[in-house]
Amino acid sequence: MFRRISQFCKQLFEDNQRPTETTPAGLSLEVVARKHHAISRKQISENATKVLYRLHKAGFKAYLVGGGVRDILLGLEPKDFDVVTDATPEQIKKLFRNCRLVGRRFRLAHIVFGRDVIEVATLRGHHVDSGEKVSKTNAEGRLLRDNVYGTIDEDAERRDFTVNALYYDISDFSIHSYGGGLQDLDSRTLRLIGDPQKRYREDPVRMLRAVRFSTKLDMHIDPAAAEPIYELAPLLQDIPAARMYEEVLKLFFNGHALNNYELMREFGLFEPLFPLVEAVLRDDPNGPAAKMIKAIMRNTDQRVAEDKAVTPAFFYAAMLWYPLSQRADDIALESGLTTYDAFYAAMGDVMEQQCRSISIPRRFSTPAKDIWQLQLRFERNQGTRAFKFIEHPKFRAAYDLLLLRAEAEGGHTAKSAAWWRSFVEGSDEQRSVIARSTKTSKSRNNRRRRSPKKTNKPAQE
Ligand code: ATP
Ligand code: MG
């Protein structure tokens, strides 16, 4: 595939008749005619093609842009197709019955075809001299609102990487390549458009995108784009937690979790997202937490590769397990609460703290807490209680976490995991033998309880 692009670009440089132009801000532009590039309409989804043609026929400019063009040229299947046009969101809405206008920071049109959504944006311009209503930055230079419309040249100047500033023009099937995007695709270079410091300050998420694209597309980050990341990484703390939630999914559920994690730690990008986990890793760089995180990443990648479901509930339960147990120990020590009560209090604390940087929706944080609570039952429920326990709807996820803990910790946890593994994997008959030959251990909770007073907390079973 790599050779295919090289050949394509070689041919492009030899044959392209059009001289390179420059945008007003000094970004280079090459327009590559249909006969000199490899994108055909067949590679673009039917729905995206429909949208492009409808806009074109109504007299608007319409381009496929970003990942769609980039990935087709790389021989990959695009995740989604993004369209840009000179039609305003209101004009787009008039053209499509199935159109929804969304977004505040970026006002966008979503053209909905059942489960497939084509995102259509209006070409963005520069935001100098424009009023607060359309564009706004904060003290660090971060863009808070960004709805100034402009030309394709201006739009290109505002994209993140040159390989993302490739536009496929539906009017003549040419590709507009800005800032040497095609050449960078060929040499596998992720190069930021404009001054890296300024571009990261405008939107710190671009640092995470640099990591994500470099692992996903097997590209190296241009030194000028890599250099400021470590210093600017703390700016991620200011990104709204809801946006961060989406970015984290893209980083860890895209099949490259392990590579992304390692690169993020190298660049200091992990800490602002997972401060509690980073603290535990720092205390004990080769301890169970470090092993656990790598195991989660490896497992997630494997599941994605096998097309199996991955859920944020399990992911966050596992990521935060060691910060949680440490917090529970601290609370128990400080307050004299029972193991269970301290654990219960720690669950609330840890989840709340994590949600300050990444807002985990309740539909995932609640089952994550279930997975945590069930960890306490693995020891107590060996024996005949195991039959009831494995019926619990969250048993499988909790058991998977137990296996990860066993891998990370060894010792007592590994022994417990081994018991459960033989029970879970055993036939009905084997299970009976295993369960009956095991003496149920008394709850540690009950043994350590200092006061016999009843609490209102839900029972563990
Ligand atoms: P993928 O969809 O595979 O993750 P993509 O490049 O299409 O990759 P999107 O998030 O879908 O990424 O964005 C589409 C395009 O919008 C990008 O290619 C880029 O040109 C532009 N873009 C997205 N986010 C930013 C950003 N934070 N700053 C500047 N440009 C951006
Ligand atoms: Mg995309």
Side-chain angles (χ1 to χ4, degrees):
M1 183 245 301
F2 185 63
R3 204 175 329 119
R4 192 174 69 75
I5 301 165
S6 286
Q7 280 167 352
F8 152 62
C9 279
K10 191 160 161 266
Q11 188 192 357
L12 161 77
F13 305 138
E14 284 167 5
D15 298 354
N16 197 7
Q17 301 301 308
R18 301 262 317 242
T20 304
E21 299 167 22
T22 315
T23 68
L27 194 65
S28 70
L29 162 65
E30 279 168 86
V31 181
V32 182
R34 168 69 192 100
K35 61 179 179 195
H36 295 307
H37 68 73
I39 293 190
S40 80
R41 269 159 292 164
K42 276 192 236 101
Q43 292 162 296
I44 304 168
S45 82
E46 208 183 307
N47 292 334
T49 314
K50 258 190 223 165
V51 170
L52 287 165
Y53 272 120
R54 172 89 53 99
L55 287 162
H56 175 60
K57 283 183 185 144
F60 296 109
K61 294 190 172 109
Y63 310 88
L64 190 68
V65 67
V69 183
R70 180 196 70 214
D71 290 355
I72 291 177
L73 286 170
L74 285 173
L76 304 170
E77 196 173 323
K79 198 169 81 199
D80 46 35
F81 288 95
D82 299 305
V83 169
V84 273
T85 174
D86 60 354
T88 63
E90 288 69 27
Q91 288 170 321
I92 302 168
K93 187 153 178 59
K94 277 192 195 138
L95 271 181
F96 297 91
R97 257 188 313 124
N98 47 340
C99 171
R100 254 190 349 229
L101 297 186
V102 297
R104 225 169 83 86
R105 187 171 168 275
F106 286 108
R107 226 165 120 68
L108 293 172
H110 277 176
I111 317 294
V112 184
F113 300 88
R115 292 181 64 184
D116 186 23
V117 175
I118 306 293
E119 202 167 273
V120 185
T122 306
L123 291 162
R124 291 287 190 284
H126 294 293
H127 31 85
V128 239
D129 299 333
S130 51
E132 263 218 352
K133 263 197 161 156
V134 283
S135 126
K136 195 166 182 249
T137 54
N138 73 354
E140 281 76 44
R142 182 158 65 83
L143 275 169
L144 301 177
R145 204 162 303 140
D146 207 357
N147 286 314
V148 182
Y149 303 131
T151 63
I152 178 172
D153 286 0
E154 288 168 329
D155 187 89
E157 284 160 3
R158 308 208 22 239
R159 299 218 163 238
D160 47 5
F161 301 97
T162 58
V163 294
N164 287 346
L166 297 166
Y167 297 71
Y168 174 82
D169 186 342
I170 198 67
S171 71
D172 61 3
F173 315 124
S174 62
I175 293 178
H176 299 231
S177 157
Y178 286 90
L182 283 173
Q183 287 86 337
D184 285 341
L185 209 55
D186 191 39
S187 64
R188 304 244 153 183
T189 308
L190 264 182
R191 192 187 311 280
L192 263 179
I193 293 172
D195 172 50
Q197 279 260 354
K198 179 167 176 276
R199 301 309 310 281
Y200 289 142
R201 282 182 190 280
E202 269 174 10
D203 184 3
V205 168
R206 289 173 187 149
M207 295 185 272
L208 293 176
R209 290 173 62 87
V211 166
R212 180 158 64 85
F213 291 131
S214 95
T215 59
K216 169 180 159 170
L217 307 171
D218 194 16
M219 287 186 165
H220 69 273
I221 305 175
D222 168 50
E227 198 271 326
I229 297 183
Y230 195 82
E231 183 205 333
L232 298 180
L235 292 178
L236 281 175
Q237 283 161 0
D238 303 331
I239 300 296
R243 183 170 178 215
M244 225 59 225
Y245 173 74
E246 299 294 329
E247 292 302 325
V248 167
L249 290 187
K250 290 185 202 165
L251 281 159
F252 295 125
F253 286 9
N254 76 344
H256 301 275
L258 184 60
N259 289 339
N260 285 337
Y261 163 68
E262 285 178 341
L263 210 50
M264 282 167 74
R265 289 213 69 219
E266 229 171 85
F267 277 125
L269 294 166
F270 186 74
E271 183 173 7
L273 272 66
F274 291 95
L276 297 176
V277 184
E278 178 73 30
V280 177
L281 292 172
R282 222 171 257 172
D283 277 356
D284 190 1
N286 300 310
K291 289 183 196 145
M292 162 79 98
I293 309 284
K294 286 199 176 173
I296 301 166
M297 301 300 169
R298 244 181 265 118
N299 275 17
T300 313
D301 286 344
Q302 198 179 336
R303 290 186 71 89
V304 171
E306 291 168 3
D307 239 352
K308 288 188 184 158
V310 281
T311 153
F314 180 79
F315 177 80
Y316 283 101
M319 288 291 281
L320 297 167
W321 172 256
Y322 289 103
L324 170 71
S325 20
Q326 207 169 75
R327 183 83 190 108
D329 286 350
D330 291 348
I331 293 178
L333 208 67
E334 286 160 15
S335 65
L337 286 174
T338 63
T339 310
Y340 176 68
D341 287 349
F343 188 84
Y344 193 89
M347 289 202 310
D349 268 16
V350 165
M351 196 52 91
E352 194 218 290
Q353 277 193 55
Q354 180 58 69
C355 283
R356 282 182 214 155
S357 43
I358 302 171
S359 105
I360 306 164
R362 223 171 275 270
R363 68 181 185 283
F364 298 124
S365 62
T366 305
K369 287 180 184 169
D370 291 344
I371 295 170
W372 283 343
Q373 281 194 68
L374 294 183
Q375 299 307 305
L376 301 180
R377 286 177 58 173
F378 281 114
E379 223 172 294
R380 299 190 308 109
N381 287 6
Q382 290 173 18
T384 46
R385 287 175 181 179
F387 289 103
K388 188 169 164 224
F389 186 23
I390 59 168
E391 298 296 317
H392 193 287
K394 285 280 164 293
F395 174 83
R396 187 70 219 191
Y399 171 67
D400 285 344
L401 178 55
L402 175 70
L403 296 183
L404 285 183
R405 291 173 51 211
E407 206 180 310
E409 290 164 34
H412 192 68
T413 313
K415 258 175 91 179
S416 170
W419 190 95
W420 281 98
R421 191 192 286 274
S422 52
F423 186 82
V424 168
E425 291 174 3
S427 63
D428 285 353
E429 215 168 297
Q430 286 165 329
R431 282 182 183 181
S432 290
V433 176
I434 295 166
R436 294 208 162 78
S437 62
T438 309
K439 218 170 142 245
T440 318
S441 65
K442 266 200 165 180
S443 145
R444 269 201 290 158
N445 176 17
N446 290 337
R447 267 189 277 140
R448 289 191 49 190
R449 194 183 283 271
R450 291 175 191 192
S451 122
K453 252 198 324 190
K454 279 209 162 176
T455 69
N456 291 328
K457 302 277 158 58
Q460 286 176 68
E461 300 180 73

